[in-house]
Amino acid sequence: MPELPEVETVARGLRDTLTGRVIRSVEVGHASMFQTNPEELLQLKGACVRGIERAGKYLLLDVTRNQRHWKLMIHLGMTGKLLLIPAETPRAKHTHLIFELENSNDLRLIDPRRFGRVALAEITTAEPQAVLQALGVAPGIEPLEVSEEDFLTMFQKRDAPIKNLLLNQSLLRGLGNIYADESLFRAGIHPQAKRVSRPRLRRLREQIRQVLREAIDAGGSSVSDYVHSDGQRGWFQVQHRVYGKEGEPCVACSRPIRRLVLAGRSAHYCPTCQRW
DNA sequence: ATGCTACCCTGGCAGC
DNA sequence: TGCTGCCAGGGTAGCA
């Protein structure tokens, strides 16, 4: 569920409170959540969280103990929540990871559908790239950092519908269904368009950056499950122009928004404002 | 190499 | 009030 703005909001919400904290105990739940052996997570008992960052839709925590250094990857899938809450809070159903911190708070991962993933990699002499690969982090470029030239070359030679390409995390990492649809609408490009021209790709890049920045400012989109690490909802959903608006009038031309299925997902678009 | 489908899960909601 | 079917912000294996 969470895309780049939602994951960025979670990372920001955790950064100040989590950085410098010691993990007093570790509890792991359903094994299918763990890409690496869940037993390895138990090594983090007594470790200190040094920092938290976001790469695409992945959260990356730096953790150290006795000169050893790990990166912990947490992906929230569709329904994952990462909450920082008082330790005495009753355990929610579908809780799959608990870090009890030394300040009487817990960091808890709750994910009903279990589409999320957790992986741990020790940082030794390996190249940073190899560590990210071991953690299963998609190799795509950050959409807020991609240069115009890289963006153009990335999409120009591909033959798939532009919406499918935007969802491919090994090209750009961080866009999901909501922000792909919203960016294409703002750029006036039909989701099924192929071989999009350079001027229109430039416009698309600008609109992607714009919509992501606006969404981060609004704390992300809370459509169903997503909440910040403190349980608060995001508010960008009220600014959606096409996502979830099938049948409603287009904000630009008043004709009804339509929906089709692409890459196994709903694509929402305006058939008059968005051109092939 | 690239593109597409089926599948992984649970829960909420509309319609009967 | 059930029940059924459909839908959902994620990714990936396996096949053309």
Side-chain angles (χ1 to χ4, degrees):
Chain A
M1 91 185 172
E3 307 180 29
L4 187 153
E6 289 75 33
V7 180
E8 178 65 26
T9 301
V10 171
R12 290 183 184 184
L14 291 174
R15 192 162 288 135
D16 286 348
T17 32
L18 207 53
T19 302
R21 296 293 169 201
V22 172
I23 298 167
R24 198 156 64 182
S25 69
V26 179
E27 206 175 317
V28 295
H30 204 287
S32 71
M33 294 291 299
F34 298 89
Q35 194 173 299
T36 49
N37 186 346
E39 298 288 311
E40 288 187 29
L41 273 283
L42 304 181
Q43 297 178 98
L44 300 183
K45 180 175 173 169
C48 179
V49 180
R50 292 297 180 193
I52 177 165
E53 58 194 322
R54 176 196 60 74
K57 301 173 193 171
Y58 305 82
L59 284 164
L60 298 170
L61 278 69
D62 281 305
V63 188
T64 60
R65 179 172 58 77
N66 295 343
Q67 317 294 335
R68 295 177 75 186
H69 190 180
W70 294 267
K71 259 199 201 299
L72 176 70
M73 184 282 290
I74 299 176
H75 191 293
L76 299 176
M78 292 269 271
T79 50
K81 293 179 193 170
L82 196 58
L83 299 177
L84 196 61
I85 47 180
E88 64 269 21
T89 310
R91 183 172 315 188
K93 204 173 167 184
H94 308 299
T95 299
H96 298 116
L97 179 64
I98 300 180
F99 286 157
E100 184 195 358
L101 306 176
E102 100 285 0
N103 68 346
S104 309
N105 278 330
D106 281 2
L107 181 69
R108 298 190 195 179
L109 174 65
I110 299 153
D111 185 0
R113 285 174 80 177
R114 305 204 304 271
F115 285 179
R117 281 181 302 147
V118 177
L120 182 70
E122 184 162 4
I123 296 176
T124 52
T125 55
E127 293 293 318
Q129 281 305 106
V131 173
L132 292 182
Q133 191 175 355
L135 290 170
V137 174
I141 305 177
E142 290 292 323
L144 288 172
E145 295 166 12
V146 64
S147 72
E148 190 172 88
E149 213 37 52
D150 285 347
F151 189 90
L152 293 173
T153 49
M154 188 180 298
F155 293 112
Q156 261 183 332
K157 292 171 192 159
R158 296 299 199 109
D159 197 34
I162 187 69
K163 167 82 186 276
N164 297 36
L165 297 177
L166 290 180
L167 293 176
N168 184 341
Q169 304 296 298
S170 59
L171 299 174
L172 289 181
R173 75 159 64 125
L175 285 181
N177 211 29
I178 291 178
Y179 299 104
D181 281 359
E182 294 295 319
S183 302
L184 287 169
F185 173 77
R186 291 179 181 218
I189 300 170
H190 194 286
Q192 286 177 298
K194 290 186 179 182
R195 305 269 177 182
V196 176
S197 70
R198 288 172 68 91
R200 302 180 79 209
L201 284 175
R202 282 195 199 95
R203 177 163 169 73
L204 178 58
R205 173 174 169 273
E206 287 307 317
Q207 295 305 314
I208 288 170
R209 293 157 60 88
Q210 180 69 19
V211 79
L212 292 177
R213 283 193 294 252
E214 288 178 23
I216 290 169
D217 287 345
S221 303
S222 286
V223 174
S224 56
D225 306 81
Y226 164 74
V227 290
H228 304 177
S229 58
D230 60 2
Q232 294 288 306
R233 290 165 56 84
W235 287 101
F236 192 70
Q237 64 278 8
V238 305
Q239 296 180 59
H240 292 175
R241 300 182 191 171
V242 286
Y243 179 81
K245 306 284 186 191
E246 185 185 11
E248 295 182 32
C250 170
V251 294
C253 75
S254 303
R255 303 190 62 176
I257 298 301
R258 293 233 279 261
R259 183 175 78 91
L260 60 80
V261 176
L262 273 182
R265 307 227 137 81
S266 292
H268 311 77
Y269 67 103
C270 172
T272 49
C273 296
Q274 292 176 252
R275 304 297 174 142
W276 289 74

